[in-house]
């Protein structure tokens, strides 16, 4: 018998790898934070002696969700300004509030609040874009989450940096500090083509090439962005990026609700990653990304919630359901964005976009034990004909019972193990008082 750290038995194990197997009465064998085997429970009991053994008798165990686009600290602005168009919302509400309040402390508190929400909803990894990167990194390390932190570049002075040079200097400093960290990975995050000049985007590209970093960017998010781009450059944002060779598998284009045939030609030839944020796009009436069309062209599409000020939650179950429904309406085809496709968008496709699919995003021997247990033995999710259908179309996030990142348990029977929920609520209420005044 081999000695290992953990043996987790489950009624179903959903792997989310290429074959996307749904295995019944199997066990996940974990040692030193990694999956060593996925085998039938009976066999596992013969093969392994585990320090910790647990039975998830009515649960599905699957990879943790990867929320591929967030602005975590904005959890503290949740509900501050709703029911507005993107540019009105940004210019008249969000940017002024950020200008006044965003600092290291707000980012730390807001990010922790968001991480607690994400862990309770089964998310194990996120891809963030914000300011005061060190605060987000500190929060992720405390929470125990896998974090991709975007080093923002924007030609607008903020409390984080006054000039574009300062954004670059801070990005390099952050990169040097975290380049070899186990949980925190730096990425580049030029905000958009309407807030960063083409010269500075070329600098971003140079840096990305030099350090081999992914580039996150809001891209063709709303009609107003397109109008601005035509008025100023007589070109579409994607075409401008293509001219400087920035559209490639290293690019993570976020939103992409505005797509024409010329765009599709560029995308098919260059294969960037796209992050679909359907709820934010619907709430701001930005438009709908033609996801099925992109997938049919072989383009990797991941799923993100966007910030809590434009969603207003970080619920990947809700996001999957919305992506499926909106995807069907957009394609005018009920077969578009089926349950399995959407589940992959929320897991392995996110890992591919972040270039960590060798490490996480599916349950396979050799990968990190980043997984969640979902109890399907609730009135709301019975009977279970197909676990994937149930998870995508009927399960609320409150049915996530347990969450692990690299084998470390972050949620145990719905209780947070690394964070204090009461303390986070008290801090959120304090911020509300300050921001409201
Ligand atoms: Zn965003």
């Amino acid at each position: 018998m081999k000695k290992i750290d953990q043996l987790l038995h489950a009624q179903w194990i959903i792997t989310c790898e290429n074959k996307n197997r749904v295995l019944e009465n199997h066990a996940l064998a974990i040692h030193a934070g990694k999956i060593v085997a996925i085998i039938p429970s009976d066999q596992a009991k013969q093969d392994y002696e585990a320090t910790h053994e647990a039975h998830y008798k009515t649960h599905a165990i699957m990879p943790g969700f990867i929320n591929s686009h967030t602005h975590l600290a904005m959890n503290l602005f949740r509900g501050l300004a709703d029911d507005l168009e993107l540019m009105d919302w940004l210019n008249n509400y969000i940017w002024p509030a950020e200008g006044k309040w965003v600092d290291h402390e707000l980012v730390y508190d807001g990010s922790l609040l968001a991480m607690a929400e994400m862990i309770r909803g089964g998310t194990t990894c996120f891809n963030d874009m914000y300011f005061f990167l060190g605060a987000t990194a500190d929060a992720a390390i405390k929470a125990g989450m896998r974090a991709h932190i975007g080093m923002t570049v924007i030609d607008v002075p903020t409390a984080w940096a006054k000039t574009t040079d300062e954004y670059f200097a801070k990005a390099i400093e952050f990169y040097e500090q975290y380049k070899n960290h186990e949980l925190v990975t730096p990425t580049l995050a030029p905000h958009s083509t309407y807030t960063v000049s083409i010269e500075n985007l070329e600098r971003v590209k140079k840096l990305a090439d030099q350090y081999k970093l992914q580039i996150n960017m809001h891209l063709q998010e709303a009609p107003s962005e397109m109008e601005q781009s035509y008025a100023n450059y007589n070109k579409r944002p994607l075409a401008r990026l293509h001219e400087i060779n920035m559209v490639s598998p290293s690019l993570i284009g976020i939103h992409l609700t505005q797509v024409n045939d010329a765009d599709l030609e560029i995308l098919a030839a260059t294969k960037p990653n796209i992050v679909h944020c359907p709820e934010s796009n619907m709430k701001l009436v930005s438009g709908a990304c033609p996801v099925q069309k992109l997938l049919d062209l072989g383009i990797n599409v991941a799923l993100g919630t966007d910030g809590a000020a434009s969603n207003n939650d970080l619920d990947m179950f809700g996001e999957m359901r919305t992506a499926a429904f909106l995807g069907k309406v957009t394609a005018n085809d009920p077969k578009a964005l089926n349950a399995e496709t959407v589940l992959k968008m929320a897991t392995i496709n996110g890992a591919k976009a972040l270039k960590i699919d060798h490490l996480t995003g599916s349950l396979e021997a050799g990968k990190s034990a980043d997984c969640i247990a979902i109890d399907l033995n609730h009135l709301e999710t019975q009977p279970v004909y197909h676990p994937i259908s149930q998870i995508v179309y009927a399960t609320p996030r409150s049915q996530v019972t347990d969450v692990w990142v690299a084998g470390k348990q972050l949620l145990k029977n719905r209780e947070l193990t690394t964070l204090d929920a009461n303390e986070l609520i008290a801090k959120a209420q304090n911020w509300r008082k300050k921001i409201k005044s």
Side-chain angles (χ1 to χ4, degrees), residues 219-223 254-259 276 281 286-290:
L219 185 59
Q220 303 196 171
E221 176 174 1
I254 300 149
H255 298 303
L256 208 80
T257 70
Q258 310 298 310
V259 182
H276 182 38
N281 297 156
S286 299
C289 177

Side-chain angles (χ1 to χ4, degrees), residues 174-365:
F174 183 78
Y175 169 78
E176 287 299 337
Q177 195 178 345
Y178 289 98
K179 61 184 175 187
N180 295 318
H181 198 277
E182 196 187 332
L183 287 176
V184 176
T185 304
T187 69
L188 278 159
H191 177 268
S192 63
T193 61
Y194 58 94
T195 52
V196 186
S197 72
I198 208 75
E199 294 74 26
N200 286 328
L201 289 174
E202 285 184 302
R203 273 176 81 181
V204 167
K205 179 166 187 306
K206 230 173 154 183
L207 208 59
D209 291 344
Q210 188 183 345
Y211 294 137
K212 301 209 172 3
L213 299 173
Q214 292 298 86
I215 303 172
N216 289 279
M217 191 168 186
H218 296 109
L219 185 59
Q220 303 196 171
E221 176 174 1
S224 48
E225 178 182 343
M226 308 309 288
E227 286 157 23
Q228 226 176 3
S229 186
Y230 277 120
N232 294 336
Y233 312 103
N234 199 26
K235 276 175 204 156
R236 298 169 73 80
L238 184 72
R240 295 182 64 220
L241 291 182
H242 189 43
E243 281 176 2
I244 59 165
N245 294 319
M246 206 156 134
V247 190
S248 77
S250 300
L251 180 70
I252 303 175
I254 300 149
H255 298 303
L256 208 80
T257 70
Q258 310 298 310
V259 182
N260 68 12
D261 288 344
D263 294 333
L264 288 175
E265 228 168 84
I266 295 174
L267 296 167
T270 53
K271 299 280 191 302
N273 302 277
I274 302 301
V275 179
H276 182 38
C277 304
E279 292 192 356
S280 171
N281 297 156
M282 287 166 69
K283 185 166 182 250
L284 298 164
V285 196
S286 299
C289 177
V291 176
Q292 190 62 53
K293 251 188 211 172
L294 299 180
L295 292 170
D296 291 344
L297 289 172
I299 293 159
N300 181 48
V301 184
L303 196 62
T305 58
D306 211 350
S310 66
N311 187 307
N312 289 0
D313 58 34
L314 310 180
D315 178 0
M316 290 294 281
F317 288 90
E319 211 67 37
M320 285 197 296
R321 203 164 304 146
T322 306
F325 294 168
L326 181 64
K328 292 172 196 306
V329 172
T330 307
N332 192 29
D333 178 3
K335 294 195 176 92
L337 271 79
N338 64 35
E340 188 177 327
T341 301
V342 167
L343 190 71
K344 284 190 167 180
M345 285 168 63
T347 54
I348 188 68
N349 290 12
K352 285 178 184 165
L354 301 175
K355 293 254 183 302
I356 50 169
D357 51 315
H358 58 287
L359 182 72
T360 189
S362 62
L363 301 183
E364 294 176 74

Side-chain angles (χ1 to χ4, degrees), residues 162-175:
K162 295 287 166 249
T163 62
T164 310
D165 283 344
E166 199 182 345
Y167 282 103
F168 277 107
K170 286 192 163 168
I172 291 165
E173 193 186 325
F174 183 78
Y175 169 78

Side-chain angles (χ1 to χ4, degrees), residues 55-70:
H55 295 266
Y56 295 89
K57 286 183 179 155
T58 58
H59 299 64
I61 288 185
M62 59 166 271
F65 294 115
I66 297 178
N67 189 341
S68 294
H69 181 56
T70 60

